[in-house]
Amino acid sequence: MNRLRRYSLPYLVWMGIFILIPTVVLLILAFSDLSLYRPGTFRLSLANFAIFSLPTTQRAIWNSFRFAGIAAAICFIIGYPVAFYLSKLGIRVRKILISLLIVPLWSNMLLRINAWEKIFTANSIVTDVFGLSISLVGTDAAIVLGMVAMYLPFMVFPIFSVLEKMDPKLVEAARDLGANDVQTFFRVVFPLSGGGVISGFVMTFLPALTTFVLPAYLGLGKYTLIGTLIESKFIKEAADSRALSINQGSLISLFLMILSITAFLLVIRVDKEGETLI
Amino acid sequence: MRKVLRDRLYKGIGLTFLAATLLILYAPILVILVLSVNDSRRGYAWEGFTLKWYSALFTGSALTEPILNTLAVAFTATAVATVLGTIFAIGINALEKKRRVKMVLLNNIPVVNPDIVTAISLMIVFSLLSLTFGFGTVLLAHIFFSMPYVILSILPALRKLDANLYEAGLDLGCSRGQAVTKVILPNIATGIFSGAMMAFTMSIDDFVITYFTSGANYMNVSTWLYSKLRLPQAFTPAAYAYNIIIFAVTIAVIVSSNLVNVRKERLKNEKIG
Amino acid sequence: MSKKMIVLNHIYKSYGDLKVLDDFNLYINENEFITLLGPSGCGKTTCLRLIGGFEAPDSGTIEFDGKIINGLEPNQREINTCFQKYALFPHLDVFGNIAFGLRLKKIPKEEITQRVEEVLRLVKMEGLGSRTVSTLSGGQQQRVAIARAIVNRPKVLLLDEPLGALDLKLRQEMQYELKEMQKELGITFVYVTHDQEEALTMSDTIVIMNEGKILQIGTPEDIYNEPKNRFVANFIGESNLFEGIMHEDYLVEFCGRSFECVDKGFRKDEPVDVVIRPEDFDFVPPSKGKIVGIVDSLLFKGVHYEINVIVDGREYTIHTTKFRDIGVKVGLSVDPDNIHVMKRSGA
């Protein structure tokens, strides 16, 4: 066994290159006027922080948190009972149903969002074929529902994987000790599935918080979210080299990184080996 | 009597939520399917059944190049990520507990990180290395973000193996290399396969990371869609057809591999019985 | 005397700060059934892994059949191992597992088949070659693991707690079979266990280890009857241990009384440890006993009773076939040759 250990070394180097270096660079970019594409002399400054005082930025952050928070909560409300129900089924049915939840994810995300855009548009092809006419595009609701539709499975999987592994004898033990159904659930089952719930929240909230495709289509481009800001800072405005847009973008990315590190720390407290992550 | 009623109620709630979930997940697939056989370039209304978008895929269209790019990246990235990921996973699994846990943590960083953070990190590294943005950078990016999933799906298979298996191989006359290829690999084949499948499906559907690491002139299907979905004159519904085909092929591969597994299990059981 | 098959010379081995083997010296004779016995963490498994070649010593030499084999890979040593929890290959059936080593040596097919069937017969698994290993019972897996090792005709077979996962009845059966097998094959068995009963039943020689050192080497009888120190006495069998003083040759004092004994060669009034096995006490009428106490508890153990007698506030454990009820006053006697006097540990 010991001889196999050295196989893990190159991975450390590889991860160092792609995780450590960009983090350091991002830090420097965020706190200076260094140009990413034409690195030269630079001054450290806090000037990039000005972006947080812009109303657009503030609105983007507020909207992102609001939408992602509501979407994650809805995912939890729908996802927990589903995961619980699945965990109680026989192994065959359970496997089939889990596959049914995975399969739609193999469809291109942009096209799925595009399809939701059609569903949420009145008098669209959906009306022609299914007789359904909903007018939601360009509203908060469309964005939140879109997020739920995209990320719901990522709430179900981690909770399910924890519930599935839970020893059924624990429930019997709780019943034996005098707990009724409801007490058993809230005092034993739910606390024990906490790891899955936290992973689930992280795996739905973070992608929802950072998406820029969803608001572009389902928000008809009327909404600016955090992801939209980063996209425009790194891609759309980046051509203008004097504007420091990449530095501002780096600062926002850094903010996201801190968030995701926090989330990561939360997840590893409940799941060291990453078993709930796939 | 009351217990029966209550159980029914729980089941009813579970079933309803499950049905709602499936509806939410499959509704867009259904719409894509309809759009892929709709005889209309703009897709605003139903204009009759056609299969021409499917045939357009094979005769050539604006999509041909993005599709070839997507497949080239997906196959190459999957192959590299699977081979390297397997080697790294074997190495990580052999570490003593403390280090192993740390390595797994490191491995999980890109898994938890939102795509956009990973994408920007990669973009920065590629800029620093002065790499030309295009096939190479996208491939490297895809290898990077899919490898942790490969490792995550192989590690549990390795953990299940008897810790002395490798040494038993050595003991019975294997060289070190043979002990890996003849003893370890055959026993984690399922994990490797599911890791590869995961890498492939993630790569083929990726948008965000490709978008940030591809530069202006290199497109895969997703980045092509992002730039063309708003431009009816440049867009072609062949994209819907492409999506349905990829979707069907993936399902076919998974189902058939599952069937093989089920058959193996049955054979095993027959032997016992 | 028989030939020395394996010699370990001044072996040191540490993991980090932890010294696992500390100037370890041992030789193993040809055709010997030798058992390394000790509590977990005493270095016995490490010792086995060094012989097998899975680990290298920090310093010291390992000789096999007269040649130093420190640098040899496991696959270059004429030694095979029967692993703890067996380490059977899950992707191969029983036949595939057993044939594994032979196939690597590119031995002709017919010979492989013949040799595999031969060992299957030897381990009483005829006709089960096509079974998947996961469908075997623990005892069957055990047999396959042994078959897989001995089919390669090693000169030495290393066994790392091979019976640890089996239940008591099966374990006893396998102990007997392993011993028979070793005699039939005529090869050296190096056996690692923490189970003293297993060691006593099977071994020609027992090596008692603790904290990386050898405490005593001897035949099972030697070790049981003449433990060298407190640790060995405690580890092998149950014992009553007393601190005493050796007044002169053949006279020892413990528990405030003097006893005749058969030991000699200690300094005058040297502090010693005294061990008396529970089965070596006899009940006598209280008036005739040097030791007198009250029966405190009583357990029926099948062949004998285990009786605890309180004497001057100290508990004595006695194994006897004679019944004495709780609360009864009893006298105890012990033959001089059943009093074992040992050098005081740590003194």
Side-chain angles (χ1 to χ4, degrees):
Chain A
M1 277 306 253
N2 309 351
R3 297 178 167 148
L4 297 172
R5 281 179 191 166
R6 61 210 158 93
Y7 291 155
S8 68
L9 248 176
Y11 193 50
L12 208 58
V13 178
W14 165 269
M15 293 302 258
I17 293 174
F18 288 110
I19 293 180
L20 196 64
I21 294 178
T23 311
V24 173
V25 175
L26 216 53
L27 259 170
I28 298 173
L29 286 171
F31 290 95
S32 76
D33 60 359
L34 180 72
S35 162
L36 175 63
Y37 292 116
R38 274 175 293 284
T41 53
F42 65 95
R43 250 174 336 110
L44 292 179
S45 80
L46 296 175
N48 299 323
F49 276 84
I51 191 171
F52 285 118
S53 62
L54 297 176
T56 341
T57 316
Q58 290 171 356
R59 211 173 322 116
I61 293 175
W62 164 238
N63 274 339
S64 288
F65 273 88
R66 193 161 55 104
F67 295 154
I70 297 171
I74 296 176
C75 285
F76 172 71
I77 292 167
I78 302 175
Y80 198 99
V82 171
F84 188 79
Y85 178 72
L86 288 178
S87 73
K88 293 270 167 280
L89 295 172
I91 179 127
R92 265 199 113 106
V93 189
R94 190 173 14 159
K95 268 193 174 164
I96 293 172
L97 285 172
I98 282 289
S99 321
L100 279 179
L101 294 184
I102 297 174
V103 162
L105 303 176
W106 297 332
S107 203
N108 190 293
M109 192 185 68
L110 281 114
L111 286 181
R112 279 187 287 141
I113 294 175
N114 177 243
W116 279 109
E117 189 189 344
K118 308 252 180 212
I119 295 171
F120 287 157
T121 306
N123 299 319
S124 67
I125 184 168
V126 177
T127 321
D128 289 358
V129 180
F130 301 100
L132 206 66
S133 184
I134 309 169
S135 178
L136 267 184
V137 166
T139 65
D140 294 6
I143 292 179
V144 171
L145 286 177
M147 287 173 173
V148 172
M150 288 304 121
Y151 308 120
L152 177 55
F154 302 111
M155 179 66 84
V156 178
F157 298 146
I159 298 176
F160 169 76
S161 86
V162 174
L163 288 175
E164 188 193 27
K165 282 184 209 129
M166 195 179 292
D167 186 351
K169 290 204 180 68
L170 292 174
V171 171
E172 286 170 14
R175 302 303 307 264
D176 179 70
L177 294 168
N180 63 29
D181 276 358
V182 178
Q183 286 167 326
T184 304
F185 179 79
F186 282 105
R187 283 164 192 255
V188 178
V189 178
F190 189 75
L192 283 173
S193 61
V197 173
I198 289 175
S199 286
F201 263 97
V202 169
M203 301 308 269
T204 50
F205 181 77
L206 280 185
L209 186 79
T210 55
T211 179
F212 59 95
V213 185
L214 255 160
Y217 292 105
L218 297 180
L220 291 177
K222 288 192 287 185
Y223 289 87
T224 302
L225 299 187
I226 298 177
T228 329
L229 270 182
I230 294 184
E231 183 206 6
S232 69
K233 291 292 172 197
F234 273 92
I235 306 252
K236 293 185 175 155
E237 298 172 29
D240 184 0
S241 59
R242 286 158 303 150
L244 289 176
S245 77
I246 286 194
N247 302 70
Q248 292 167 346
S250 299
L251 187 60
I252 304 172
S253 306
L254 209 58
F255 169 67
L256 282 187
M257 221 174 222
I258 292 168
L259 261 176
S260 81
I261 289 170
T262 318
F264 186 66
L265 293 177
L266 260 174
V267 171
I268 61 170
R269 278 189 64 168
V270 294
D271 174 18
K272 278 211 168 55
E273 303 264 335
E275 281 161 353
T276 60
L277 295 180
I278 53 168
Chain B
M1 202 53 217
R2 262 188 60 202
K3 180 153 173 40
V4 175
L5 271 179
R6 213 169 37 201
D7 281 355
R8 272 209 194 138
L9 180 71
Y10 293 152
K11 250 189 203 152
I13 295 173
L15 213 53
T16 315
F17 278 58
L18 180 64
T21 305
L22 291 174
L23 183 73
I24 292 173
L25 292 176
Y26 282 89
I29 312 286
L30 204 59
V31 174
I32 293 170
L33 185 66
V34 167
L35 286 164
S36 76
V37 293
N38 181 22
D39 195 358
S40 153
R41 179 166 276 274
R42 294 168 167 248
Y44 293 142
W46 177 253
E47 290 173 24
F49 179 85
T50 180
L51 285 178
K52 70 179 178 195
W53 307 123
Y54 286 87
S55 57
L57 276 181
F58 299 97
T59 54
S61 70
L63 247 184
T64 310
E65 200 190 316
I67 289 177
L68 292 178
N69 287 343
T70 304
L71 293 177
V73 168
F75 279 110
T76 325
T78 303
V80 177
T82 307
V83 172
L84 291 180
T86 306
I87 296 172
F88 293 153
I90 290 174
I92 292 171
N93 185 61
L95 293 172
E96 71 249 54
K97 185 164 175 29
K98 247 188 180 166
R99 290 229 185 127
R100 192 183 66 227
V101 169
K102 276 187 195 153
M103 278 300 258
V104 174
L105 285 188
L106 186 66
N107 179 65
N108 291 348
I109 292 177
V111 177
V112 176
N113 257 348
D115 280 355
I116 202 167
V117 174
T118 307
I120 285 164
S121 299
L122 290 167
M123 181 186 179
I124 284 173
V125 176
F126 297 153
S127 311
L128 283 180
L129 297 174
S130 315
L131 299 180
T132 316
F133 281 62
F135 173 75
T137 48
V138 172
L139 178 63
L140 215 52
H142 281 230
I143 293 171
F144 174 78
F145 82 76
S146 59
M147 200 150 59
Y149 292 91
V150 174
I151 292 175
L152 264 184
S153 70
I154 294 177
L155 276 180
L158 283 167
R159 294 290 301 281
K160 264 189 236 144
L161 294 185
D162 189 310
N164 288 322
L165 220 53
Y166 173 70
E167 288 170 354
L170 294 178
D171 187 70
L172 295 169
C174 286
S175 66
R176 293 179 195 185
Q178 283 175 322
V180 173
T181 54
K182 292 198 173 224
V183 176
I184 297 186
L185 290 188
N187 283 305
I188 56 170
T190 334
I192 296 175
F193 176 76
S194 69
M197 275 309 286
M198 207 178 298
F200 187 80
T201 48
M202 299 202 59
S203 168
I204 208 165
D205 276 346
D206 172 67
F207 166 66
V208 176
I209 287 165
T210 309
Y211 183 60
F212 279 88
T213 56
S214 61
N217 303 317
Y218 185 86
M219 280 189 189
N220 73 355
V221 173
S222 295
T223 53
W224 181 88
L225 280 171
Y226 189 62
S227 66
K228 302 293 188 284
L229 269 173
R230 285 265 165 267
L231 305 170
Q233 62 277 19
F235 180 75
T236 158
Y240 299 124
Y242 159 81
N243 190 55
I244 295 293
I245 288 178
I246 290 289
F247 185 66
V249 169
T250 323
I251 293 176
V253 171
I254 299 287
V255 168
S256 61
S257 78
N258 270 341
L259 282 183
V260 171
N261 277 344
V262 168
R263 203 163 298 159
K264 268 192 199 151
E265 290 274 310
R266 253 194 222 143
L267 270 176
K268 224 191 238 176
N269 292 339
E270 272 164 20
K271 268 189 192 164
I272 306 167
Chain C
M1 264 304 282
S2 41
K3 185 168 76 165
K4 286 180 184 172
M5 200 67 211
I6 291 174
V7 183
L8 301 177
N9 265 325
H10 301 291
I11 300 282
Y12 289 85
K13 176 77 186 171
S14 341
Y15 297 120
D17 293 336
L18 187 71
K19 278 189 193 161
V20 188
L21 291 177
D22 194 3
D23 195 14
F24 190 85
N25 294 284
L26 179 69
Y27 64 85
I28 297 167
N29 288 325
E30 197 173 15
N31 298 349
E32 186 177 23
F33 195 126
I34 190 168
T35 299
L36 307 180
L37 175 65
S40 59
C42 72
K44 55 191 193 299
T45 296
T46 303
C47 178
L48 207 65
R49 292 172 60 81
L50 290 172
I51 300 174
F54 307 114
E55 272 178 73
D58 298 339
S59 67
T61 57
I62 304 168
E63 283 171 36
F64 177 78
D65 214 358
K67 286 182 286 284
I68 292 181
I69 55 163
N70 281 44
L72 290 189
E73 294 279 320
N75 50 342
Q76 297 163 322
R77 303 186 180 196
E78 284 176 274
I79 298 172
N80 283 112
T81 310
C82 179
F83 289 89
Q84 205 170 8
K85 291 188 238 139
Y86 325 132
L88 298 179
F89 304 130
H91 64 297
L92 300 174
D93 60 9
V94 170
F95 188 94
N97 264 279
I98 299 175
F100 190 87
L102 301 178
R103 282 180 179 154
L104 280 168
K105 286 189 202 120
K106 306 257 189 299
I107 284 169
K109 254 197 171 146
E110 310 81 63
E111 193 190 335
I112 292 181
T113 317
Q114 182 215 326
R115 276 170 72 172
V116 171
E117 272 166 13
E118 195 181 298
V119 289
L120 275 173
R121 215 170 308 127
L122 186 70
V123 298
K124 300 180 181 159
M125 294 269 297
E126 296 110 313
L128 295 177
S130 61
R131 290 277 289 269
T132 341
V133 292
S134 58
T135 64
L136 299 178
S137 72
Q140 288 173 321
Q141 293 192 13
Q142 171 61 65
R143 289 159 196 269
V144 176
I146 293 168
R148 185 178 72 174
I150 61 178
V151 77
N152 301 292
R153 301 187 179 150
K155 292 191 174 155
V156 175
L157 180 66
L158 309 176
L159 300 107
D160 188 4
E161 306 224 8
L163 308 182
L166 305 180
D167 60 44
L168 182 65
K169 193 103 195 336
L170 199 55
R171 204 156 62 212
Q172 287 168 341
E173 246 176 75
M174 285 301 297
Q175 287 171 13
Y176 175 76
E177 275 184 36
L178 273 174
K179 183 73 196 164
E180 288 297 303
M181 213 181 282
Q182 189 251 343
K183 280 190 206 149
E184 196 177 329
L185 292 167
I187 59 175
T188 309
F189 273 35
V190 185
Y191 194 98
V192 159
T193 183
H194 63 265
D195 182 333
Q196 44 115 353
E197 191 210 311
E198 225 168 83
L200 291 173
T201 341
M202 292 194 283
S203 322
D204 300 323
T205 308
I206 294 179
V207 181
I208 308 260
M209 294 176 61
N210 191 34
E211 293 177 344
K213 287 190 184 299
I214 295 177
L215 300 184
Q216 188 169 1
I217 303 181
T219 64
E221 290 86 352
D222 283 348
I223 293 211
Y224 188 83
N225 293 330
E226 296 295 333
K228 262 194 186 157
N229 58 37
R230 197 176 248 273
F231 181 88
V232 176
N234 251 330
F235 199 76
I236 295 280
E238 283 180 67
S239 23
N240 295 290
L241 270 163
F242 309 95
E243 290 188 349
I245 294 167
M246 197 71 180
H247 284 308
E248 55 190 71
D249 284 354
Y250 312 119
L251 186 70
V252 64
E253 183 199 320
F254 58 93
C255 299
R257 297 166 184 85
S258 291
F259 292 87
E260 264 181 61
C261 64
V262 294
D263 300 87
K264 57 174 182 168
F266 292 88
R267 277 182 285 112
K268 191 172 161 46
D269 294 334
E270 181 175 340
V272 290
D273 284 327
V274 177
V275 60
I276 300 172
R277 298 288 183 191
E279 64 272 21
D280 289 341
F281 280 112
D282 280 322
F283 286 132
V284 290
S287 54
K288 290 190 182 162
K290 207 173 238 177
I291 311 166
V292 179
I294 309 280
V295 174
D296 183 57
S297 69
L298 173 98
L299 287 172
F300 179 60
K301 291 275 195 175
V303 183
H304 62 261
Y305 293 100
E306 181 175 309
I307 296 178
N308 279 326
V309 176
I310 304 277
V311 181
D312 303 335
R314 193 186 186 288
E315 200 169 83
Y316 289 53
T317 304
I318 294 146
H319 292 172
T320 171
T321 51
K322 293 171 198 152
F323 176 82
R324 292 287 185 283
D325 212 348
I326 293 174
V328 169
K329 194 175 188 184
V330 292
L332 297 174
S333 80
V334 53
D335 277 354
D337 60 349
N338 283 333
I339 296 174
H340 309 297
V341 180
M342 312 171 298
K343 271 197 175 316
R344 175 77 58 84
S345 298

